[in-house]
Amino acid sequence: YIQSRFYRAPEIILGLNYGLEIDIWSFGCILAELYTGIPIFPGENEIDQLGYISEYFGFPNDELINKARKKSTFFEVKKNEMGQPTYIPIKVANSRGKIRQPFTKKLSKFLNGADEEFIDLIKKCLEWDPEKRIKPDEAILHNWIIEGMPE
């Protein structure tokens, strides 16, 4: 059992290799929750959790999904014209009958009133691809952090 579900990085859910990047994901979730008072991704289960993430950021690219050990739990595989796999999200309703749709929510709306630097930091923490996610040494030097430091 790695990470509480609401703060669980997608690489854990998908069964990818993981490292320190999972802590940056959780950090982004916690910052958003501290700002709003509610979790940003309160999924009922892992499928719902990925659905919540997709509402803000769509789904990960096929290359990332292709590496995932648990991809068949969350995606159907179709072949494109060139015979390469394309992944279609499996849509499952949650306990209230809701099927989450990609790109239907805006992070700026969830973080209502937040300044652009804060929103930028959260986006960089919540990058699907752990290799592209902001690193701890970059995060500590992010403008939102630097501007908030006493002189």
Side-chain angles (χ1 to χ4, degrees):
Y1 183 82
I2 302 168
Q3 297 183 299
S4 298
R5 185 181 328 115
F6 293 179
Y7 315 104
R8 193 172 297 157
E11 55 267 37
I12 300 299
I13 297 170
L14 294 169
L16 293 160
N17 293 331
Y18 62 90
L20 295 174
E21 298 85 2
I22 68 173
D23 296 326
I24 291 293
W25 179 273
S26 297
F27 175 66
C29 293
I30 291 165
L31 280 177
E33 186 172 343
L34 286 171
Y35 183 81
T36 63
I38 57 173
I40 187 170
F41 308 128
E44 294 178 355
N45 52 51
E46 289 191 327
I47 289 177
D48 196 38
Q49 194 70 19
L50 288 182
Y52 265 106
I53 297 166
S54 78
E55 287 181 322
Y56 291 96
F57 305 113
F59 285 100
N61 63 44
D62 286 354
E63 184 180 322
L64 195 66
I65 296 169
N66 193 44
K67 296 183 217 172
R69 289 187 301 277
K70 294 169 57 179
K71 64 181 161 261
S72 63
T73 303
F74 307 105
F75 300 93
E76 281 182 61
V77 182
K78 305 276 185 188
K79 297 282 182 177
N80 65 16
E81 311 82 50
M82 297 169 20
Q84 303 205 331
T86 301
Y87 299 97
I88 313 297
I90 295 171
K91 300 198 180 209
V92 178
N94 67 14
S95 65
R96 293 179 307 284
K98 169 93 172 162
I99 296 176
R100 306 201 175 281
Q101 299 297 324
F103 297 115
T104 55
K105 292 185 178 178
K106 298 271 186 226
L107 186 60
S108 58
K109 187 171 181 185
F110 180 77
L111 299 171
N112 187 22
D115 67 58
E116 290 302 316
E117 292 292 345
F118 182 68
I119 294 169
D120 181 68
L121 177 58
I122 299 294
K123 280 182 186 173
K124 289 177 177 174
C125 289
L126 301 179
E127 164 63 47
W128 272 107
D129 187 337
E131 291 179 20
K132 295 178 183 171
R133 200 172 296 148
I134 194 168
K135 309 291 183 258
D137 58 336
E138 297 166 339
I140 197 69
L141 296 174
H142 189 277
N143 283 342
W144 186 77
I145 300 286
I146 296 298
E147 289 171 5
M149 295 280 200
E151 290 191 32

